[in-house]
Amino acid sequence: MHLTLRQLTLFEAVARHLSFTRAAEELHLSQPAVSMQVRQLEGAAGLPLFEKLGKRIHLTEAGREMYNYCRHIGEQLRELDEVMAALKGVRRGHLRLSVATTANSFATRILGAFAQRYPESTYSLDVTNRKTLLDQLAENQTDIVIMGKPPEGLDLEVQAFMENPLVVIARPDHPLAAEPGPIPLQRIQSETFVVRECESGTRIAMERFFRERGMQLRTGIETTSNSAIKNAVEAGLGLGLVSVHTLELELKAGALVVLNVEDFPILRHWHVVYRQGKRLPPIAQAFLDYLHGDEARPLLQVPTG
């Protein structure tokens, strides 16, 4: 086959969006120009890469194979660019960082400070849920992930870098907020909790904690957002269990309080995770070194109310 990198780049964008229009917008090209290049690629392949069902396009079997190779080729080209830059002694590159939604507050702060040290580099930050993080790791779609509980069954490098205490939160006027504590676990068993979705690392840790003690909590509202949990608790819809790292603003404002509950906090850790055997770009390795160094330590302090 006689293929060009331009054709593969355009095809990858169309396959990722499953839309010629969105691919053209992303690449700042006209839709006819994109369509023509994809048709030429189909001609070179000798097989259709897309099929149209109704108003939507879908990848054919040949299209899925082509897309898989396009992504790997793109990754290899990006690594080549990073290696050449490193050999020249140039501190530049592109860091793809994905973080759990719970880690957003401190991860953004750390990335901002790190970016000041390497202003010639570019960065992408994806704040998403645990399931998407696992998919990105499996598909090698990110350089580094920051998450709580590392997954099992994948070949990954995992490094703990800071504590992640999980605490029980309530409105300041909640009856339990006035108790000096420690509040017995049996007392909160009768309370309604606002919780994260079942796939969340926080939810998994919470259920394991209470299951080991022969307890089961009453759950009222289930949400995929820590912000929604805090808002629901502020609205008086129940207690919440969240990472203390999500509470800095609410504790300072006096909108929420951390309850002094027996056996709490649940002590977990934040981890940096990446694929085993992955050739990290120099900028990604520099970020790991920064994260474990003394300069980042003040940014990793646990907030207090």
Side-chain angles (χ1 to χ4, degrees):
M1 290 188 296
H2 298 287
L3 312 177
T4 68
L5 283 176
R6 179 176 175 79
Q7 289 172 344
L8 295 177
T9 299
L10 296 180
F11 168 78
E12 188 277 335
V14 176
R16 176 160 38 86
H17 292 295
L18 288 178
S19 168
F20 284 90
T21 301
R22 291 180 62 188
E25 291 173 351
E26 176 184 307
L27 299 171
H28 305 290
L29 296 170
S30 68
Q31 183 174 332
V34 174
S35 299
M36 180 185 68
Q37 292 288 334
V38 171
R39 283 197 301 270
Q40 291 176 355
L41 181 61
E42 288 180 319
L47 291 166
L49 303 177
F50 295 100
E51 58 182 350
K52 189 172 183 179
L53 300 175
K55 295 183 179 180
R56 301 182 60 184
I57 63 170
H58 302 267
L59 287 168
T60 63
E61 182 179 0
R64 288 191 294 271
E65 291 291 340
M66 184 72 73
Y67 181 48
N68 184 48
Y69 279 98
C70 280
R71 290 192 297 108
H72 287 297
I73 290 170
E75 181 67 23
Q76 291 295 313
L77 289 173
R78 195 180 74 86
E79 286 187 8
L80 174 62
D81 183 62
E82 297 282 0
V83 169
M84 293 299 104
L87 290 174
K88 295 175 185 176
V90 179
R91 281 295 189 179
R92 65 177 180 83
H94 181 73
L95 172 63
R96 298 177 302 173
L97 179 64
S98 297
V99 305
T101 52
T102 311
N104 182 33
S105 56
F106 71 83
T108 304
R109 186 164 59 242
I110 293 170
L111 183 60
F114 176 78
Q116 292 181 13
R117 295 187 58 183
Y118 301 98
E120 296 181 24
S121 292
T122 57
Y123 307 88
S124 59
L125 175 64
D126 188 12
V127 181
T128 186
N129 58 37
R130 178 181 176 84
K131 182 181 183 303
T132 302
L133 292 177
L134 298 183
D135 290 342
Q136 291 178 345
L137 284 169
E139 297 296 326
N140 196 29
Q141 294 175 351
T142 186
D143 295 321
I144 295 173
V145 163
I146 293 179
M147 65 190 312
K149 177 180 171 56
E152 299 176 356
L154 293 177
D155 294 329
L156 300 172
E157 296 288 344
V158 177
Q159 303 170 10
F161 68 95
M162 67 182 295
E163 288 187 345
N164 176 25
L166 301 182
V167 295
V168 180
I169 57 172
R171 279 169 52 125
D173 60 355
H174 191 283
L176 290 178
E179 296 192 16
I183 302 167
L185 286 176
Q186 288 75 14
R187 176 65 182 82
I188 66 169
Q189 189 174 12
S190 61
E191 298 287 335
T192 299
F193 272 73
V194 183
V195 296
R196 285 290 302 272
E197 75 280 13
C198 292
E199 297 83 3
S200 162
T202 301
R203 177 73 173 271
I204 293 170
M206 179 191 78
E207 290 182 343
R208 178 185 298 113
F209 175 87
F210 287 104
R211 185 171 58 250
E212 289 173 350
R213 289 158 177 78
M215 298 174 60
Q216 184 174 1
L217 294 185
R218 293 167 50 191
T219 58
I221 298 175
E222 183 177 294
T223 177
T224 59
S225 164
N226 289 295
S227 296
I229 288 181
K230 293 184 291 184
N231 290 338
V233 172
E234 285 187 49
L237 296 176
L239 303 181
L241 182 71
V242 297
S243 167
V244 73
H245 289 286
T246 69
L247 295 172
E248 185 172 4
L249 295 178
E250 289 80 10
L251 293 179
K252 286 182 179 179
L256 294 172
V257 295
V258 175
L259 297 183
N260 181 9
V261 180
E262 179 185 12
D263 292 343
F264 272 84
I266 301 174
L267 290 180
R268 303 172 70 221
H269 286 85
W270 290 112
H271 301 83
V272 284
V273 183
Y274 56 95
R275 289 287 295 269
Q276 199 171 79
K278 179 179 177 62
R279 180 184 293 173
L280 288 176
I283 192 64
Q285 185 59 57
F287 181 77
L288 288 181
D289 295 340
Y290 177 81
L291 201 58
H292 292 289
D294 293 337
E295 190 174 347
R297 194 162 298 158
L299 303 174
L300 305 179
Q301 299 298 316
V302 176
T304 57

